Amino acid sequence: MRTHSFLTVLFWSSVFYVVHVMPSQKRTNKHSHSEWITGLSENDGKTLHRTKRGWMWNQFFLLEEYTGPDTQYVGKLHTDQDKGDGNLKYILTGDGAGSLFIIDENTGDIHAAKKLDREEKSLYVLRAKAIDRKTGRQVEPESEFIIKIHDINDNEPKFTKDMYTASIPEMSGVGTSVIQVTATDADDANYGNSAKVVYSILQGQPYFSVDPDTGIIKTALPDMSRENREQYQVVIQAKDMGGQMGGLSGTTTVNITLTDVNDNPPRFPQSSYQFSSPESAPPGTPLGRIKANDPDVGENAEIEYSISNGDGSDMFDIITDKDTQEGIITVKKHLDFEKKVVYTLKVEARNTHPDPRFLQLGPFKDTAFVKISVEDIDEPPVFSRPWYLIEVDEDAKEGSIIGQVVAQDPDIAKNAIKYSVDRHTDLDRIFNIYSGNGSLFLSKPLDREETPWHNITVIATEINNPKQSSQIPVFIRILDINDHAPEFANYYETFVCENAKAGQLIQTVSAIDKDQPPRGHKFFFELVPEFAVHPNFSVVDNKDNTAGIMTRRNGYSRSKTNTYLLPIIIFDNDYPIQSSTGTLTIRVCACDSRGNMQSCSAEALLLPAGLSTGALVAILLCIIILLILVVLFTALKRQRKKEPLIISKDDVRDNIVTYNDEGGGEEDTQAFDIGTLRNPEAREESKMRRDVIPETIFQIRRTAPLWENIDVQDFIHRRLKENDTDPAAPPYDSLATYAYEGNDSIANSLSSLESLTTEGNQDYDYLSDWGPRFKKLADMYGGEDSDRD
């Protein structure tokens, strides 16, 4: 190797230059330069002349990294114009001239002043010229030459990364590619083998191998298991010179990780497990955890647990903890120590993501048996039902039994039970219970219309252990009996128009009943029998729990009767039948042609009209003023002197003198003040009669002021006696009345004198509205269609 390098240096160190010598008779300084430049004659191109250069040289070659004691000789520049007398001067310009490359201006020798590196610059372009020292003229034209740096193997291969990371699934086959590594060499690839790199593995055998040319790392062993070994460190070497001795090399490290595949089924570490649970554990209570081991990781190690068989599959359940991959056994239903003490479960664990490539390794599941023991505890009493519904008639007698609740101790001891009612749910203490057998009975009467449902709570307690108690809701429904009569649903304000026709509907009435019969309400309406003989109105049952009030005649007189009272009987259809009588008040009103009410009686107009407070006050003031005027007029009339009533000479015995001053009566406190009758100051002094001569003159004696203690009858007798002694009084056969009827007499005036002024027959239908006292009179004068009240 050393011999080869020396010969190479020696060969490229030789400098060759060729001097083209022309015949002396033809070569002159005058023509040589011009002819070298032109090269061709311009004489029509018929004769061509080639002019040889005065000087030339080959391109130079230089080895890099020269380490000799002297400067490295590059070559020599020389022209045939140089006579050796030192008259010419050589000048070098271009890349590195004067710094890297130095020329001897007298001899033209070129040397490299410094050590060169091909990897920094592999080619230098320089220009040379020869100048006459005396004239300063170029004896030769400037020419360009190249110095090439020849490569030596001074760079080792370098990898693109100091460390590589790769992964490959476990259980991969031999020859599976893992990763490719790449190394580069800065030496010249076109010169020798300095840049030819060969890859080899220094560490990582026998698991991996590397392709010497491409640097691809591959698996070298089959079925490498991640569970056995997960991480591998492989060292790769890259060597130049085609891997021969003397070549330079570089290394890199490749960290290879085996990724997991689901090649391992789950396995229980033991074949059976044992747990215990108190019988009072509510559903959902966890009892314990079991776990099947799976050496895989990630989703390959995910396990799903289930109960595949066993006598406790209905009583227990198992769920999977996704974080720990454990199976949690929980209570599914309430346990009962008295029924079953031990349960056995067969639990199965299987992978949720099996790999089809490894199913031939066997089933990816495992089973284990779980034994669960139930522990006995002292339980509270248990009722035979979750709740009780008791129905009782509302007329049930006090002390009668309405139902029974039953509870027992579920433990083997079967302790005795006592019952009680939670008084917070029965504040009125309507119900009670026999503590020994749980029979419920009434302590107070029931009323369905007041409370149709009673919700009470019954408590059952163990006698030997009062802490053990339980309670149950008891819903008591009160069954209805027909103990209420139907009645009008509303208060009806009914009116009939004076111009109403027979058969006209004036009101529709409905009824309500506090009872609730099982088949629903059914009401019947009819008139009271006394009013059904000659009714002014009729009742038509609509068969839908309503009735229509119809007129029976044409026209109604408000002046005769402004209000009718119509009693109606309402029946229900339950047993026993209940009925009630409701009175409908019908007012007679004036209506327009369309039947719209316009006005009724004064009272009816005042109340429903909705007058404002100011209007009512104004009406009252008017009434008061009117009463004051009446009182003043009466007082002035009494102060006037009374004249004889009869002045004519006719027989006064046939004359009738009426005093049509009935007064207000005891009930009328507005129209007339009865105190006036009892005021002795209002009486006039007794005078002698002027029309006759009395046989005896009675002296009127004033009495003590005790008028307020005299009743009206005594007062009238006194006034009658005074009238007899009054000379201005009417004759003896005249009629003087002192009647006291009161205000708002429904009889009005009974005088038959007014009947003479009426035309046609008098309508005495109103006599039927006066009540039983006038029944006889109504029968004598009343018509066929009168009502009786």
Side-chain angles (χ1 to χ4, degrees):
M1 182 65 186
R2 291 179 180 178
T3 304
H4 179 270
S5 300
F6 176 76
L7 292 175
T8 302
V9 173
L10 182 60
F11 174 78
W12 290 109
S13 298
S14 301
V15 177
F16 298 93
Y17 60 93
V18 179
V19 179
H20 301 273
V21 181
M22 299 179 65
S24 60
Q25 67 273 15
K26 292 182 179 180
R27 182 178 182 187
T28 63
N29 293 336
K30 181 177 180 181
H31 301 286
S32 62
H33 186 265
S34 61
E35 292 177 356
W36 175 70
I37 295 176
T38 57
L40 293 175
S41 173
E42 297 180 1
N43 187 10
D44 297 331
K46 295 180 181 180
T47 303
L48 298 176
H49 300 279
R50 176 177 175 84
T51 302
K52 298 182 178 179
R53 292 183 59 186
W55 59 292
M56 62 178 299
W57 57 89
N58 293 333
Q59 68 177 1
F60 300 116
F61 295 93
L62 188 65
L63 291 176
E64 66 171 335
E65 303 294 342
Y66 175 73
T67 57
D70 298 328
T71 58
Q72 188 177 4
Y73 182 73
V74 178
K76 183 180 181 65
L77 298 179
H78 186 75
T79 178
D80 57 357
Q81 299 294 329
D82 189 358
K83 303 300 182 178
D85 55 2
N87 190 35
L88 295 180
K89 178 182 178 181
Y90 295 95
I91 298 174
L92 184 66
T93 61
D95 294 340
S99 59
L100 295 179
F101 303 100
I102 301 173
I103 189 170
D104 188 340
E105 62 182 14
N106 295 319
T107 63
D109 293 328
I110 302 173
H111 291 81
K114 296 181 180 180
K115 183 173 60 175
L116 301 177
D117 188 357
R118 190 201 66 83
E119 285 72 36
E120 292 183 2
K121 190 173 179 66
S122 61
L123 183 68
Y124 295 89
V125 180
L126 294 101
R127 291 178 298 277
K129 59 184 177 180
I131 300 174
D132 190 330
R133 292 179 181 271
K134 296 179 180 180
T135 63
R137 182 177 58 86
Q138 294 184 8
V139 297
E140 293 286 352
E142 185 180 61
S143 183
E144 186 178 80
F145 67 95
I146 298 173
I147 299 177
K148 286 187 176 182
I149 309 301
H150 276 188
D151 183 43
I152 64 173
N153 190 17
D154 59 343
N155 292 280
E156 73 277 2
K158 293 184 178 180
F159 285 92
T160 56
K161 294 182 180 180
D162 294 335
M163 180 177 293
Y164 292 84
T165 301
S167 63
I168 186 174
E170 63 174 332
M171 308 299 290
S172 297
V174 176
T176 303
S177 297
V178 180
I179 193 174
Q180 183 179 16
V181 296
T182 303
T184 59
D185 196 322
D187 294 327
D188 190 359
N190 298 320
Y191 178 70
N193 293 327
S194 299
K196 185 177 181 181
V197 178
V198 175
Y199 299 95
S200 62
I201 184 167
L202 301 181
Q203 177 182 328
Q205 295 175 333
Y207 307 103
F208 299 95
S209 63
V210 63
D211 189 297
D213 297 326
T214 62
I216 298 176
I217 301 174
K218 301 179 181 180
T219 57
L221 286 180
D223 301 333
M224 288 189 294
S225 176
R226 183 200 64 84
E227 288 75 27
N228 295 332
R229 183 177 177 180
E230 184 175 4
Q231 299 288 339
Y232 293 87
Q233 191 175 73
V234 179
V235 178
I236 303 297
Q237 181 189 64
K239 190 175 182 180
D240 59 10
M241 298 299 293
Q244 298 177 8
M245 293 184 62
L248 303 178
S249 64
T251 60
T252 187
T253 302
V254 181
N255 293 324
I256 302 175
T257 303
L258 297 183
T259 59
D260 185 60
V261 297
N262 193 6
D263 58 339
N264 293 281
R267 290 289 181 263
F268 283 106
Q270 57 193 69
S271 61
S272 63
Y273 298 84
Q274 187 167 357
F275 301 100
S276 62
S277 172
E279 62 176 335
S280 61
T285 302
L287 303 182
R289 293 171 175 255
I290 60 175
K291 184 177 182 180
N293 298 326
D294 191 335
D296 297 325
V297 294
E299 68 175 13
N300 297 322
E302 292 181 0
I303 301 174
E304 183 179 6
Y305 297 89
S306 62
I307 299 176
S308 61
N309 203 348
D311 56 2
S313 58
D314 295 335
M315 304 300 295
F316 301 93
D317 198 2
I318 186 169
I319 58 177
T320 303
D321 189 334
K322 299 298 182 181
D323 296 330
T324 63
Q325 297 301 316
E326 293 177 318
I328 305 174
I329 299 176
T330 61
V331 178
K332 187 177 182 179
K333 295 182 179 180
H334 287 286
L335 304 175
D336 191 350
F337 175 82
E338 287 70 30
K339 292 182 178 180
K340 192 173 182 62
V341 178
V342 178
Y343 294 91
T344 302
L345 307 176
K346 184 179 181 181
V347 179
E348 181 179 89
R350 64 170 61 239
N351 282 136
T352 57
H353 299 86
D355 194 333
R357 296 176 299 173
F358 306 103
L359 293 179
Q360 71 276 5
L361 299 178
F364 279 73
K365 62 181 180 180
D366 195 15
T367 58
F369 291 94
V370 178
K371 182 179 180 181
I372 301 176
S373 302
V374 181
E375 299 175 353
D376 186 24
I377 63 171
D378 190 6
E379 300 176 90
V382 177
F383 284 91
S384 60
R385 301 178 187 175
W387 48 271
Y388 289 85
L389 173 63
I390 298 176
E391 295 181 344
V392 57
D393 294 331
E394 65 175 321
D395 60 346
K397 304 300 180 182
E398 297 181 20
S400 59
I401 296 176
I402 62 173
Q404 185 182 18
V405 297
V406 177
Q408 63 179 0
D409 183 10
D411 299 321
I412 299 177
K414 301 297 181 184
N415 293 324
I417 305 297
K418 66 176 181 179
Y419 303 89
S420 61
V421 175
D422 185 358
R423 291 305 173 187
H424 293 91
T425 61
D426 185 24
L427 298 176
D428 296 332
R429 295 182 175 271
I430 300 176
F431 304 96
N432 212 333
I433 191 170
Y434 291 108
S435 61
N437 57 11
S439 297
L440 288 165
F441 62 91
L442 291 178
S443 298
K444 292 182 180 180
L446 302 173
D447 187 355
R448 189 204 65 83
E449 288 70 32
E450 180 179 353
T451 306
W453 283 89
H454 294 272
N455 301 329
I456 65 173
T457 300
V458 175
I459 302 174
T461 307
E462 292 184 9
I463 296 178
N464 296 335
N465 187 7
K467 294 182 179 181
Q468 295 296 336
S469 64
S470 58
Q471 55 187 18
I472 196 74
V474 179
F475 307 103
I476 302 175
R477 179 183 180 185
I478 310 303
L479 301 179
D480 184 41
I481 63 171
N482 195 23
D483 57 346
H484 289 83
E487 56 187 15
F488 280 132
N490 300 297
Y491 173 76
Y492 297 99
E493 295 184 356
T494 307
F495 71 93
V496 62
C497 297
E498 289 183 311
N499 56 356
K501 304 298 182 180
Q504 182 177 339
L505 176 67
I506 62 173
Q507 182 69 58
T508 300
V509 297
S510 61
I512 57 173
D513 194 339
K514 294 181 180 180
D515 297 320
Q516 290 184 350
R519 293 183 299 274
H521 290 292
K522 182 63 179 177
F523 301 123
F524 304 94
F525 303 85
E526 64 180 38
L527 285 174
V528 174
E530 296 178 0
F531 278 76
V533 178
H534 300 293
N536 288 317
F537 305 94
S538 62
V539 176
V540 178
D541 195 333
N542 296 328
K543 308 301 182 182
D544 61 352
N545 294 339
T546 63
I549 309 302
M550 313 292 291
T551 58
R552 288 291 302 274
R553 60 187 178 88
N554 296 328
Y556 293 86
S557 177
R558 183 171 46 159
S559 60
K560 296 179 181 180
T561 304
N562 58 7
T563 302
Y564 291 94
L565 300 178
L566 187 66
I568 300 175
I569 303 177
I570 308 174
F571 301 89
D572 59 18
N573 68 334
D574 204 359
Y575 180 83
I577 295 177
Q578 299 287 344
S579 65
S580 66
T581 300
T583 301
L584 190 66
T585 302
I586 305 175
R587 295 177 298 158
V588 181
C589 301
C591 302
D592 57 14
S593 59
R594 296 182 179 180
N596 298 322
M597 180 183 67
Q598 292 182 337
S599 63
C600 298
S601 62
E603 180 182 359
L605 290 175
L606 182 60
L607 293 179
L611 296 178
S612 63
T613 304
L616 293 175
V617 172
I619 293 174
L620 291 177
L621 288 176
C622 292
I623 294 175
I624 293 173
I625 294 172
L626 181 61
L627 290 177
I628 294 174
L629 293 176
V630 171
V631 172
L632 292 176
F633 177 79
T634 304
L636 291 175
K637 185 177 180 181
R638 288 181 178 276
Q639 290 179 0
R640 291 185 303 172
K641 184 177 180 181
K642 295 183 179 181
E643 296 295 335
L645 297 177
I646 301 177
I647 305 176
S648 68
K649 297 179 181 181
D650 296 336
D651 189 1
V652 299
R653 291 177 296 178
D654 296 334
N655 294 332
I656 299 177
V657 179
T658 63
Y659 295 86
N660 192 16
D661 184 12
E662 299 177 354
E666 294 179 349
E667 297 177 0
D668 187 1
T669 60
Q670 297 178 355
F672 191 83
D673 188 3
I674 197 171
T676 305
L677 298 177
R678 298 184 178 184
N679 186 3
E681 301 298 332
R683 294 184 299 115
E684 297 180 1
E685 294 181 356
S686 60
K687 299 179 181 180
M688 299 298 292
R689 297 177 64 92
R690 294 175 295 176
D691 54 348
V692 295
I693 300 176
E695 295 179 356
T696 306
I697 298 176
F698 296 92
Q699 299 293 330
I700 303 302
R701 183 176 59 184
R702 292 184 178 273
T703 60
L706 300 175
W707 299 98
E708 59 273 15
N709 297 326
I710 301 175
D711 67 0
V712 177
Q713 185 176 3
D714 294 339
F715 170 74
I716 293 176
H717 286 308
R718 288 176 180 272
R719 291 302 301 266
L720 182 60
K721 187 178 293 185
E722 292 175 1
N723 190 63
D724 292 338
T725 59
D726 189 0
Y732 293 109
D733 55 354
S734 298
L735 177 63
T737 62
Y738 293 90
Y740 179 68
E741 299 177 355
N743 190 26
D744 292 337
S745 174
I746 61 174
N748 293 328
S749 176
L750 297 180
S751 175
S752 61
L753 298 178
E754 295 180 356
S755 64
L756 298 177
T757 61
T758 60
E759 297 180 3
N761 295 330
Q762 178 68 25
D763 185 4
Y764 294 98
D765 294 338
Y766 58 87
L767 296 176
S768 302
D769 299 332
W770 292 0
R773 296 181 181 179
F774 298 92
K775 182 177 182 303
K776 189 65 177 177
L777 189 62
D779 294 338
M780 294 174 61
Y781 292 93
E784 293 297 324
D785 57 348
S786 61
D787 295 329
R788 294 184 298 170
D789 190 358

